[in-house]
Amino acid sequence: VLAEHEGWNERVLLLIRAIPQDRFYNWSLFDSDPLPRWRQGRITLLGDDAHPMLPFHGMGGAMAFEDAIVLARCLSDYRDPEQALDRYEALREPRTRAVMLSSRAHGARLQASGPDRSTWHERIRSQGNDAEPQSDWHFFDYNPATVAV
């Protein structure tokens, strides 16, 4: 860890040196590509089961709450449960896909180092991720309680 932070402010290095060596952990983070379908019959997914995402936007929990609100509204507004579930998925999939892919791209940018830091965008695009954290879509303009169902 000290080698990774070589040249940093001495106060940061003092903090790192103060951490007992047995307290350093390798913590893996995983996501998945967006799923093509969330439902089968009258069973659907929501939250991390439908769209597991990396934590680089801190939006995973918020997406689950939004899913629950939109799902409840769809089930309330449509007589046919399968039609309600289809509508829920149609409403939520584009937003959760954008947040998932943007979080993935933002994580790659944050974790890049050296020359990679300036080319992170090209690497993400080459992996099929077309979202970018600086894009024009807005995280906070969405209201699951008022979106048309």
Side-chain angles (χ1 to χ4, degrees), residues 128-149:
N129 185 351
D130 55 1
E132 54 181 289
Q134 316 314 329
S135 68
D136 201 26
W137 72 278
H138 303 283
F139 285 122
F140 305 109
D141 291 348
Y142 183 91
N143 185 340
T146 59
V147 66
V149 296

Side-chain angles (χ1 to χ4, degrees), residues 99-132:
V99 175
M100 283 175 72
L101 297 178
S102 180
S103 186
R104 181 186 292 171
H106 192 63
R109 183 176 143 247
L110 290 173
Q111 294 179 6
S113 62
D116 287 344
R117 192 170 291 265
S118 63
T119 60
W120 73 273
H121 188 71
E122 289 79 15
R123 285 186 296 115
I124 292 302
R125 287 221 187 257
S126 73
Q127 296 170 9
N129 185 351
D130 55 1
E132 54 181 289

